[in-house]
């Protein structure tokens, strides 16, 4: 599984395993689904210069949408 | 290490970057050179794929060759068997990359579908990662399953604007043009096996466009009624299921189909078998609430094309593909006849941005551009440049020559108010 090091604004580093990225038309945003310490997490991200800025302030609707995408992807995997 | 740049338009041009120069010089390779290079690439295994920038990847092979391709290249494979094999190889590698994390999650959760830990997600502060450190992870979504709707930067160089997203990376700075014989280029009127994916969950508010077009009215001459008699139920079912306007599709089928003799109608949608057989379509399914998040997936066979239902499925799936790739019902309908890649090829040829010609609001301009392109490239003899009028003539318009065409596009229900300007003008004369 691919791993990246995410750094927050305080300089804390997290080793994340990225599961997938997803662009959603309704919200017009790119999303990132990943795991840190066995927790499945999700954020939105955008590219600024040569960095991806990862925002963790998602609405419940966005989490619902991403949960459905996870369900669908895993369903396709097992189909 | 030699690096080759592939243009998406049927791999017509393959560029070789000359090493050791301050400003990269790119030479367009001859057809023979391209064929030899593709043979070498295909004989070797992919060892790594690296994101260069958004929507652009560099693929490394075991024989130390590398190629740089854009997302567009992978999305629209042509039917040159070498290029098809190359795109399939790259997509298979990416798919494996995408599926590996999901497989591990499946194992971790013993098959249960996990949900996002929202509390922990929200508690994280804003984070960042540099593009270079993102590694292959951001390749997920590079494959065909996710449509990036972002508008690309304007192309600086019309010579290879088909690279679209990254002119600074994929547009040769200096190009030595070399014509490649047309017989090495696949026909335009072929299907791409992939349909871009609508992702929205909820239908948004309706969009409406008015289009004036001049056409004859032949809906009453009996041909449309015969089409409905033989194909009405099937067309109703698949048009409703795939978010297409039944009235327009029946008119299109009336235009396409040959005569029916003794109940036999061979190849009603006039499918070119060699381009469709063995292609797999993945068609988004809609209901009255919009996209259902499900798909109909099917592979076209010769037997299926010989049946009414299989033939109609292939025709409508291809129409759906043309519509989805242009965000336009009208342009999509025209591309059904002119070949799905025609709009991109025309924009590339004239140095325009494809996005400027997408959408129903730009449909007539797009169709005009496609006509101009195919007319120039094929000496005025290509497909049916009056295709729209020839389809529209079978639409059951009202006495003022108007009809509504309703269809779904991604997250939206779209209404086209089509007015027959010929009917309207003749009414004014009365």
């Amino acid at each position: 599984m691919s791993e990246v090091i995410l750094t927050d604004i305080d300089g804390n580093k997290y080793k994340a395993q990225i599961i997938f990225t997803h662009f959603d038309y309704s919200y017009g945003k790119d999303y990132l689904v990943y795991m840190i310490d066995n927790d499945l997490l999700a954020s939105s991200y955008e590219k600024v210069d040569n960095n991806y800025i990862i925002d963790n302030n998602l609405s419940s609707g966005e989490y619902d949408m991403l949960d459905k995408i996870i369900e669908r992807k895993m369903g396709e995997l097992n189909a | 290490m030699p690096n080759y740049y592939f243009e998406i338009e049927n791999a017509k041009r393959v560029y070789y970057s000359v090493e050791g120069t301050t400003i990269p010089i790119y030479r367009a390779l001859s057809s023979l050179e391209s064929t030899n290079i593709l043979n070498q690439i295909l004989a070797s295994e992919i060892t790594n794929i690296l994101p260069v920038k958004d929507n652009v990847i560099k693929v490394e092979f075991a024989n130390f060759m590398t190629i740089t391709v854009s997302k567009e290249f992978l999305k629209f494979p042509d039917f040159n068997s070498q290029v098809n094999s190359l795109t399939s190889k790259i997509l298979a590698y990416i798919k494996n990359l995408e599926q590996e994390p999901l497989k591990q999650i499946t194992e971790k959760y013993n098959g249960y579908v996990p949900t996002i830990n929202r509390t922990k997600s929200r508690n994280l502060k804003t984070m960042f990662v540099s593009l270079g450190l993102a590694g292959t992870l951001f390749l997920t979504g590079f494959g065909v399953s996710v449509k990036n709707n972002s508008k690309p930067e304007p192309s600086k160089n019309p010579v290879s604007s088909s690279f679209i997203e990254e002119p600074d990376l994929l547009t040769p700075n200096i190009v030595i043009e070399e014509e490649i014989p047309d017989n090495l280029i696949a026909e335009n009127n072929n299907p791409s096996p992939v349909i871009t994916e609508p992702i929205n969950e909820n239908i948004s508010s309706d969009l409406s466009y008015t289009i004036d077009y001049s056409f004859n009215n032949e809906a009453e001459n009996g041909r449309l009624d015969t089409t409905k008699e033989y194909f009405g139920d099937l067309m109703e079912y698949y048009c409703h299921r795939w978010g297409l306007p039944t009235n327009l599709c029946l008119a299109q089928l009336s235009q396409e189909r040959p005569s029916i003799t003794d109940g036999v109608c061979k190849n009603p949608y006039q499918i070119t078998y060699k381009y469709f057989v063995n292609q797999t379509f993945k068609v988004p399914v809609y209901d009255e609430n919009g996209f259902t998040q499900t798909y109909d997936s099917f592979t076209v066979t010769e037997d299926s094309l010989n049946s009414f239902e299989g033939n109609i499925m292939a025709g409508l799936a291809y129409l759906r593909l043309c519509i989805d790739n242009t965000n336009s019902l009208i342009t999509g309908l025209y591309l059904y006849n002119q070949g799905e890649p025609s709009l991109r090829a025309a924009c590339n040829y004239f140095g325009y941005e494809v996005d400027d010609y997408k959408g129903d609001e730009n449909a007539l301009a797009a169709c005009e551009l496609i006509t101009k392109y195919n007319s120039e490239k094929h000496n005025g003899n290509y497909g049916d440049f009056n295709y729209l009028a020839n389809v529209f003539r079978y639409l059951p318009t009202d006495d003022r020559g108007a009809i509504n065409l309703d269809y779904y596009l991604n997250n939206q229900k779209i209404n086209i108010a089509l007015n027959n300007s010929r009917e309207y003008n003749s009414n004014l004369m009365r």
Side-chain angles (χ1 to χ4, degrees), chain B residues 195 234-250 252 269 283-287 312-324 328-330 332-333 336 404-409 412-414:
Chain B
I195 289 183
L234 279 173
M235 293 292 282
E236 181 79 37
Y237 176 77
Y238 283 106
C239 287
H240 179 75
R241 187 170 177 80
W242 293 347
L244 296 165
T246 308
N247 51 4
L248 182 70
C249 293
L250 281 168
Q252 185 195 22
Y269 246 118
V283 191
V285 176
Y286 296 82
D287 62 16
I312 282 170
M313 286 173 72
L316 291 178
Y318 184 48
L319 176 64
R320 183 76 245 184
L321 168 73
C322 294
I323 293 168
D324 287 341
S328 165
L329 177 68
I330 304 300
L333 178 66
Y336 184 95
N404 285 314
L405 310 172
D406 295 319
Y407 75 109
Y408 287 99
L409 182 66
Q412 286 177 312
K413 185 175 184 180
I414 295 182

Side-chain angles (χ1 to χ4, degrees), chain B residues 223 257-261 264-266:
Chain B
R223 192 170 172 83
R257 71 168 174 80
S259 297
I260 301 173
T261 309
V264 176
C265 181
K266 287 185 178 173

Side-chain angles (χ1 to χ4, degrees), chain A residues 3 17 32-33 35 60 68 77:
Chain A
E3 293 181 344
Q17 297 174 321
L32 183 62
V33 175
M35 291 195 76
S60 296
K68 284 185 181 172
L77 187 68

Side-chain angles (χ1 to χ4, degrees), chain A residues 1-10 14 17-27 30 32-43 45 47 49-74 76-78, chain B residues 53-54 97-106 108-109 111-142 145-150 166 196-202 282 293-295 410-411:
Chain A
M1 196 181 289
S2 301
E3 293 181 344
V4 291
I5 303 296
L6 305 177
T7 308
D8 71 15
I9 50 175
D10 294 334
Y14 302 89
Q17 297 174 321
I18 296 182
I19 311 302
F20 63 86
T21 60
H22 170 74
F23 178 81
D24 188 80
Y25 284 94
S26 296
Y27 297 101
D30 281 299
L32 183 62
V33 175
Y34 55 102
M35 291 195 76
I36 294 179
D37 297 336
N38 287 328
D39 284 311
L40 188 62
L41 309 173
S43 310
Y45 73 93
K47 188 165 157 270
D49 297 328
N50 279 325
N51 289 315
Y52 289 108
I53 306 298
I54 295 164
D55 178 20
N56 299 299
N57 189 22
L58 303 188
S59 66
S60 296
E62 289 171 293
Y63 285 124
D64 289 343
M65 176 271 295
L66 289 167
D67 276 334
K68 284 185 181 172
I69 299 287
I70 293 166
E71 189 176 355
R72 177 167 61 80
K73 279 182 176 288
M74 294 190 69
E76 286 173 356
L77 187 68
N78 298 321
Chain B
K53 275 195 171 182
D54 288 352
L97 278 181
E98 288 181 340
Q99 287 192 339
E100 192 55 34
L102 289 166
K103 284 177 187 167
Q104 293 194 25
I105 288 218
T106 302
K108 193 185 292 273
Y109 288 91
Y112 289 102
V113 178
T115 55
I116 296 162
N117 185 333
R118 301 181 183 197
T119 307
K120 188 164 180 181
S121 288
R122 285 194 176 109
N123 285 340
L124 289 170
K125 294 179 178 173
T126 300
M127 301 186 291
F128 65 90
V129 61
S130 75
L131 176 62
L133 293 176
T136 55
L137 274 304
F138 286 87
L139 282 175
T140 58
F142 195 94
S145 61
V146 175
K147 181 177 180 180
N148 186 338
N149 205 30
S150 62
E166 300 294 337
T196 49
E197 179 176 346
I199 291 165
N200 293 44
E201 294 178 320
N202 301 313
K282 186 179 174 188
Q293 304 282 338
T294 59
Y295 298 86
N410 301 324
N411 63 326

